């Protein structure tokens, strides 16, 4: 049976300038009929995953600047970066993909794509990382759509951290600490470290200790009842990967990589952007590069396709989703994410009853 033609309109979640949660809204717009440039593809989105950075971007103070052009004017800005779905149309300059291919990927904000949280995605392949959704030998999907959407950002972030400390760990005693071992990034950092044969100490709350060990942690510190500083010091790691923020464990290893920086709040952005307003972090980084003190980096993910493809080796039970929500429940899903208690990713199922084909 031939699928019906696309509907005249589709829905997308976006945000304006008022900050989370009031900025978040769903709007209807005309359905694109073809990729806008030869470098774009159109995607029938099946699932998208939410990230803390989505809320952090909504809260950026710069959106309120009185500038009369996008994205500063009160225009809609795209929500979401992680997605999984099926190719509906492929631009002429997009190599290696065909209509009908199942894809998972990550589009960076304002890199020419339309945001992941929409029934139909407009993806600029120049600013995106794409990989095929893995299949079994019989052609069925190895994971659910929600699992495929949940992986790109956190897997690439954890892979970036692993690569950043690899020389220190493998050139030392093979020991690494993961602060925030049960977080969405931390859990895959633990898993990837253990796959390399490293000895891993992870920190998390007691209720997540068994889970962290299942992901590969050799030792777990319950930060609610134990001194993280003392346990990490006694472990004597070659490197520390920080997925929670703060400065408590600085100086306890010669190599220190963080994805959060010195901040401990969830509302503001992390990553290397913090260098712009934190001179202490800049000084720490510079001294480390000069061989004085800790070799320190605050990193952003590296969008390497081959790194994302490495995730295809994960079994279904290793791809952790906290919860799945209907597309219309995006506000409730963001509320769940914003509690800070999600174990794994919070995912939106997108238009399960929406079936169409491009002409």
């Amino acid at each position: 049976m031939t699928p019906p033609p696309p509907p005249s309109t589709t829905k997308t979640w976006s945000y304006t300038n008022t900050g989370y949660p009031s900025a978040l809204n769903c709007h209807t717009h005309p359905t694109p009929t073809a990729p806008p440039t030869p470098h774009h593809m159109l995607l029938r989105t099946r699932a998208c995953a939410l990230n803390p950075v989505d809320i952090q971007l909504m809260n950026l103070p710069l959106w309120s600047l009185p500038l009369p052009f996008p994205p500063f004017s009160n225009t809609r800005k795209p929500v979401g970066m992680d997605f999984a779905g099926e190719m509906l149309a492929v631009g002429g300059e997009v190599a290696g993909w065909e209509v009908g291919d199942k894809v998972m990927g990550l589009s960076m904000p304002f890199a020419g794509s339309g945001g992941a949280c929409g029934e139909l995605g407009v993806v600029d392949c120049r600013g995106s990382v794409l990989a095929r959704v893995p299949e079994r030998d019989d052609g069925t999907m190895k994971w659910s759509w929600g699992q495929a959407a949940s992986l790109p950002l956190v897997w690439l972030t954890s892979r970036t951290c692993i690569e950043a400390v690899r020389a220190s760990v493998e050139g030392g005693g093979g020991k690494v600490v993961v602060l925030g071992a049960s977080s969405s990034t931390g859990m895959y950092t633990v898993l990837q470290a253990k796959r390399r044969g490293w000895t891993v100490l992870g920190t998390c709350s007691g209720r997540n200790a068994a889970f962290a060990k299942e992901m590969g942690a050799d030792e777990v510190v319950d930060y609610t009842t134990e001194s993280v500083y003392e346990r990490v010091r006694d472990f004597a790691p070659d490197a520390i990967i920080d997925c929670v923020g703060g400065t408590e464990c600085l100086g306890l290893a010669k190599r220190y990589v963080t994805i959060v920086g010195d901040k401990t709040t969830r509302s503001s952005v992390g990553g290397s952007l913090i260098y712009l307003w934190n001179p202490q972090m800049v000084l720490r980084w510079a001294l480390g590069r000069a061989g004085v003190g800790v070799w320190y980096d605050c990193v952003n993910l590296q969008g390497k396709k081959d790194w994302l493809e490495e995730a295809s080796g994960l079994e279904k039970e290793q791809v952790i989703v906290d919860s799945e929500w209907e597309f219309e429940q995006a506000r409730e899903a963001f509320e769940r994410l914003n509690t800070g208690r999600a174990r794994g990713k919070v995912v939106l199922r997108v238009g399960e009853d929406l079936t169409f084909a491009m002409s």
Side-chain angles (χ1 to χ4, degrees):
M1 181 177 179
T2 303
S8 59
T9 60
T10 50
K11 296 177 181 177
T12 299
W13 285 93
S14 62
Y15 67 96
T16 53
N17 295 3
T18 56
Y20 176 80
S22 62
L24 183 65
N25 61 81
C26 186
H27 69 279
T28 300
H29 56 89
T31 302
T33 57
T37 79
H39 303 284
H40 282 75
M41 69 176 187
L42 296 184
L43 181 81
R44 162 68 175 86
T45 309
R46 292 291 186 176
C48 59
L50 310 183
N51 295 288
V53 70
D54 296 325
I55 295 176
Q56 294 160 5
L57 287 172
M58 292 184 217
N59 288 333
L60 281 178
L62 60 84
W63 300 136
S64 61
L65 293 176
L67 300 176
F69 49 83
F72 299 100
S73 57
N74 195 32
T75 54
R76 296 187 180 99
K77 290 168 275 291
V79 172
M81 291 178 272
D82 287 317
F83 57 83
E86 299 157 303
M87 297 280 193
L88 288 175
V90 181
E93 297 296 322
V94 179
W97 296 100
E98 298 179 354
V99 172
D101 285 346
K102 297 180 177 67
V103 60
M104 62 181 184
L106 170 75
S107 287
M108 301 306 291
F110 312 111
S113 297
C117 295
E119 292 176 328
L120 191 147
V122 180
V123 180
D124 189 335
C125 296
R126 295 168 297 181
S128 303
V129 189
L130 306 173
R132 298 182 187 280
V133 176
E135 296 181 342
R136 301 184 183 92
D137 292 339
D138 62 3
T140 60
M141 288 173 54
K142 188 176 180 181
W143 313 323
S144 69
W145 285 113
Q147 287 178 304
S150 75
L151 270 173
L153 185 143
V154 290
W155 181 266
L156 288 170
T157 302
S158 62
R159 183 65 174 83
T160 300
C161 292
I162 291 291
E163 186 63 25
V165 304
R166 180 174 57 83
S168 297
V169 176
E170 295 180 353
K175 298 167 72 174
V176 66
V177 166
V178 179
L179 304 177
S182 64
S183 67
S184 292
T185 297
M187 65 176 70
Y188 294 117
T189 306
V190 169
L191 186 149
Q192 293 192 59
K194 196 60 185 175
R195 281 184 163 187
R196 286 163 171 77
W198 302 352
T199 303
V200 183
L201 181 145
T203 71
C204 59
S205 66
R207 70 185 181 91
N208 288 321
F211 171 72
K213 287 188 175 182
E214 288 174 7
M215 296 301 286
D218 298 282
E219 300 181 38
V220 175
V221 181
D222 179 357
Y223 69 83
T224 67
T225 61
E226 302 178 76
S227 168
V228 171
Y229 179 90
E230 292 178 2
R231 286 288 305 277
V232 172
R233 179 198 61 197
D234 295 344
F235 184 70
D238 302 292
I240 296 172
I241 297 174
D242 169 31
C243 301
V244 294
T247 59
E248 180 182 10
C249 292
L250 279 170
L252 297 181
K254 292 182 179 180
R255 182 69 168 121
Y256 192 100
V257 171
T258 178
I259 64 172
V260 186
D262 290 0
K263 76 182 186 75
T264 56
T265 62
R266 295 175 54 81
S267 59
S268 58
V269 295
S272 59
L273 190 64
I274 301 179
Y275 283 132
L276 296 176
W277 57 80
N278 191 317
Q280 288 182 313
M281 288 174 53
V282 175
L283 178 61
R284 194 182 303 140
W285 172 86
L287 289 173
R289 285 293 184 275
V292 180
V294 174
W295 179 13
Y296 176 91
D297 277 305
C298 186
V299 300
N300 296 329
L301 68 84
Q302 295 184 39
K304 295 187 176 183
K305 181 176 184 285
D306 57 329
W307 286 2
L308 182 55
E309 289 173 339
E310 290 174 4
S312 64
L314 295 176
E315 297 302 324
K316 186 177 179 68
E317 60 271 15
Q318 293 176 305
V319 184
I320 311 300
V321 173
D322 174 83
S323 54
E324 294 194 7
W325 304 74
E326 298 302 327
F327 183 71
E328 293 76 12
Q329 294 179 298
R331 293 182 184 277
E332 292 86 346
F334 270 108
E335 288 175 8
R336 170 61 184 170
L337 173 70
N338 204 36
T339 64
R341 295 191 293 272
R343 180 196 289 176
K345 297 299 284 292
V346 176
V347 170
L348 295 183
R349 294 188 291 265
V350 184
E352 293 182 327
D353 59 347
L354 187 64
T355 302
F356 56 83
M358 292 292 174
S359 58

